PDB file of all heavy atoms in Angstrom:
ATOM      1  N   PRO A  34      95.094 193.199 122.867  1.00 96.00           N
ATOM      2  CA  PRO A  34      94.723 193.397 124.270  1.00 96.00           C
ATOM      3  C   PRO A  34      94.066 192.154 124.871  1.00 96.00           C
ATOM      4  O   PRO A  34      93.378 191.398 124.178  1.00 96.00           O
ATOM      5  CB  PRO A  34      93.744 194.564 124.230  1.00 96.00           C
ATOM      6  CG  PRO A  34      93.573 194.959 122.823  1.00 96.00           C
ATOM      7  CD  PRO A  34      94.384 194.080 121.943  1.00 96.00           C
ATOM      8  N   ILE A  56      94.475 172.969 114.120  1.00 97.00           N
ATOM      9  CA  ILE A  56      95.842 172.678 113.651  1.00 97.00           C
ATOM     10  C   ILE A  56      96.608 174.002 113.442  1.00 97.00           C
ATOM     11  O   ILE A  56      97.753 174.155 113.873  1.00 97.00           O
ATOM     12  CB  ILE A  56      95.793 171.821 112.361  1.00 97.00           C
ATOM     13  CG1 ILE A  56      95.312 170.409 112.713  1.00 97.00           C
ATOM     14  CG2 ILE A  56      97.144 171.785 111.646  1.00 97.00           C
ATOM     15  CD1 ILE A  56      94.991 169.517 111.527  1.00 97.00           C
ATOM     16  N   SER A 142     122.068 169.016 124.343  1.00 97.00           N
ATOM     17  CA  SER A 142     123.407 168.437 124.486  1.00 97.00           C
ATOM     18  C   SER A 142     123.405 167.295 125.513  1.00 97.00           C
ATOM     19  O   SER A 142     124.004 166.241 125.300  1.00 97.00           O
ATOM     20  CB  SER A 142     124.385 169.566 124.789  1.00 97.00           C
ATOM     21  OG  SER A 142     125.228 169.234 125.820  1.00 97.00           O
ATOM     22  N   GLY A 152     113.987 168.879 131.335  1.00 96.00           N
ATOM     23  CA  GLY A 152     114.140 170.256 131.808  1.00 96.00           C
ATOM     24  C   GLY A 152     112.788 170.893 132.053  1.00 96.00           C
ATOM     25  O   GLY A 152     111.765 170.437 131.528  1.00 96.00           O
ATOM     26  N   GLU A 156     111.125 180.028 129.679  1.00 85.00           N
ATOM     27  CA  GLU A 156     110.154 181.133 129.545  1.00 85.00           C
ATOM     28  C   GLU A 156     109.756 181.410 128.115  1.00 85.00           C
ATOM     29  O   GLU A 156     108.637 181.803 127.828  1.00 85.00           O
ATOM     30  CB  GLU A 156     110.758 182.412 130.140  1.00 85.00           C
ATOM     31  CG  GLU A 156     110.247 182.617 131.518  1.00 85.00           C
ATOM     32  CD  GLU A 156     110.665 183.943 132.108  1.00 85.00           C
ATOM     33  OE1 GLU A 156     111.072 184.850 131.372  1.00 85.00           O
ATOM     34  OE2 GLU A 156     110.556 184.035 133.336  1.00 85.00           O
ATOM     35  N   LYS A 164     100.874 182.818 128.109  1.00 93.00           N
ATOM     36  CA  LYS A 164      99.943 183.943 128.330  1.00 93.00           C
ATOM     37  C   LYS A 164      98.496 183.468 128.240  1.00 93.00           C
ATOM     38  O   LYS A 164      97.649 183.835 129.052  1.00 93.00           O
ATOM     39  CB  LYS A 164     100.140 185.000 127.219  1.00 93.00           C
ATOM     40  CG  LYS A 164     101.237 185.989 127.471  1.00 93.00           C
ATOM     41  CD  LYS A 164     101.241 187.060 126.393  1.00 93.00           C
ATOM     42  CE  LYS A 164     100.265 188.199 126.713  1.00 93.00           C
ATOM     43  NZ  LYS A 164     100.276 189.253 125.686  1.00 93.00           N
ATOM     44  N   GLY A 204      88.680 159.384 133.673  1.00 96.00           N
ATOM     45  CA  GLY A 204      88.135 158.871 134.928  1.00 96.00           C
ATOM     46  C   GLY A 204      88.026 159.967 135.964  1.00 96.00           C
ATOM     47  O   GLY A 204      88.347 161.133 135.707  1.00 96.00           O
ATOM     48  N   GLY A 265     107.886 146.411 141.595  1.00 89.00           N
ATOM     49  CA  GLY A 265     106.875 147.475 141.678  1.00 89.00           C
ATOM     50  C   GLY A 265     105.486 146.994 141.290  1.00 89.00           C
ATOM     51  O   GLY A 265     105.245 145.797 141.126  1.00 89.00           O
ATOM     52  N   ARG A 270     104.002 149.053 135.763  1.00 97.00           N
ATOM     53  CA  ARG A 270     104.954 148.391 134.874  1.00 97.00           C
ATOM     54  C   ARG A 270     104.305 148.112 133.515  1.00 97.00           C
ATOM     55  O   ARG A 270     104.876 148.407 132.463  1.00 97.00           O
ATOM     56  CB  ARG A 270     105.377 147.075 135.559  1.00 97.00           C
ATOM     57  CG  ARG A 270     106.228 146.172 134.743  1.00 97.00           C
ATOM     58  CD  ARG A 270     106.410 144.850 135.514  1.00 97.00           C
ATOM     59  NE  ARG A 270     106.678 143.779 134.587  1.00 97.00           N
ATOM     60  CZ  ARG A 270     107.873 143.495 134.144  1.00 97.00           C
ATOM     61  NH1 ARG A 270     108.921 144.170 134.551  1.00 97.00           N
ATOM     62  NH2 ARG A 270     108.058 142.522 133.275  1.00 97.00           N
ATOM     63  N   LEU A 272     101.723 149.617 132.116  1.00 97.00           N
ATOM     64  CA  LEU A 272     101.449 150.849 131.370  1.00 97.00           C
ATOM     65  C   LEU A 272     102.733 151.361 130.706  1.00 97.00           C
ATOM     66  O   LEU A 272     102.736 151.744 129.534  1.00 97.00           O
ATOM     67  CB  LEU A 272     100.858 151.920 132.303  1.00 97.00           C
ATOM     68  CG  LEU A 272     100.537 153.242 131.617  1.00 97.00           C
ATOM     69  CD1 LEU A 272      99.524 153.060 130.484  1.00 97.00           C
ATOM     70  CD2 LEU A 272      99.999 154.259 132.616  1.00 97.00           C
ATOM     71  N   ILE A 323     120.917 157.320 144.964  1.00 98.00           N
ATOM     72  CA  ILE A 323     119.518 157.054 145.372  1.00 98.00           C
ATOM     73  C   ILE A 323     118.938 155.830 144.677  1.00 98.00           C
ATOM     74  O   ILE A 323     117.994 155.225 145.163  1.00 98.00           O
ATOM     75  CB  ILE A 323     118.565 158.261 145.132  1.00 98.00           C
ATOM     76  CG1 ILE A 323     118.478 158.609 143.645  1.00 98.00           C
ATOM     77  CG2 ILE A 323     118.930 159.471 145.969  1.00 98.00           C
ATOM     78  CD1 ILE A 323     117.069 158.821 143.208  1.00 98.00           C
ATOM     79  N   GLN A 390      89.891 143.196 155.127  1.00 97.00           N
ATOM     80  CA  GLN A 390      89.311 142.754 156.398  1.00 97.00           C
ATOM     81  C   GLN A 390      89.093 143.981 157.284  1.00 97.00           C
ATOM     82  O   GLN A 390      89.735 145.016 157.094  1.00 97.00           O
ATOM     83  CB  GLN A 390      90.290 141.802 157.134  1.00 97.00           C
ATOM     84  CG  GLN A 390      90.703 140.581 156.342  1.00 97.00           C
ATOM     85  CD  GLN A 390      89.503 139.748 155.935  1.00 97.00           C
ATOM     86  OE1 GLN A 390      88.571 139.562 156.731  1.00 97.00           O
ATOM     87  NE2 GLN A 390      89.508 139.287 154.690  1.00 97.00           N
ATOM     88  N   GLU A 393      92.013 146.250 158.646  1.00 98.00           N
ATOM     89  CA  GLU A 393      93.202 146.071 157.798  1.00 98.00           C
ATOM     90  C   GLU A 393      93.657 147.431 157.252  1.00 98.00           C
ATOM     91  O   GLU A 393      92.856 148.362 157.112  1.00 98.00           O
ATOM     92  CB  GLU A 393      92.862 145.114 156.645  1.00 98.00           C
ATOM     93  CG  GLU A 393      94.077 144.334 156.178  1.00 98.00           C
ATOM     94  CD  GLU A 393      93.792 143.429 154.990  1.00 98.00           C
ATOM     95  OE1 GLU A 393      92.632 143.041 154.771  1.00 98.00           O
ATOM     96  OE2 GLU A 393      94.785 143.134 154.290  1.00 98.00           O
ATOM     97  N   ASP A 414      90.350 160.396 158.367  1.00 97.00           N
ATOM     98  CA  ASP A 414      88.967 160.048 158.018  1.00 97.00           C
ATOM     99  C   ASP A 414      88.689 160.316 156.541  1.00 97.00           C
ATOM    100  O   ASP A 414      87.988 159.567 155.881  1.00 97.00           O
ATOM    101  CB  ASP A 414      87.973 160.869 158.861  1.00 97.00           C
ATOM    102  CG  ASP A 414      87.981 160.408 160.311  1.00 97.00           C
ATOM    103  OD1 ASP A 414      88.399 159.253 160.553  1.00 97.00           O
ATOM    104  OD2 ASP A 414      87.605 161.208 161.193  1.00 97.00           O
ATOM    105  N   THR A 425      80.289 142.963 147.082  1.00 93.00           N
ATOM    106  CA  THR A 425      80.463 142.132 145.881  1.00 93.00           C
ATOM    107  C   THR A 425      81.894 142.253 145.363  1.00 93.00           C
ATOM    108  O   THR A 425      82.440 143.360 145.297  1.00 93.00           O
ATOM    109  CB  THR A 425      79.512 142.641 144.766  1.00 93.00           C
ATOM    110  OG1 THR A 425      78.321 143.073 145.391  1.00 93.00           O
ATOM    111  CG2 THR A 425      79.235 141.592 143.747  1.00 93.00           C
ATOM    112  N   THR A 438      95.378 156.015 116.732  1.00 96.00           N
ATOM    113  CA  THR A 438      96.459 156.225 115.756  1.00 96.00           C
ATOM    114  C   THR A 438      95.900 157.076 114.622  1.00 96.00           C
ATOM    115  O   THR A 438      94.718 157.442 114.640  1.00 96.00           O
ATOM    116  CB  THR A 438      96.948 154.875 115.170  1.00 96.00           C
ATOM    117  OG1 THR A 438      95.881 154.351 114.373  1.00 96.00           O
ATOM    118  CG2 THR A 438      97.314 153.880 116.244  1.00 96.00           C
TER     119      THR A 438
END
Side-chain angles (χ1 to χ4, degrees):
I56 289 170
S142 134
E156 261 187 17
K164 275 186 85 179
R270 173 187 154 86
L272 180 59
I323 62 134
Q390 303 302 319
E393 209 183 337
D414 289 338
T425 324
T438 68

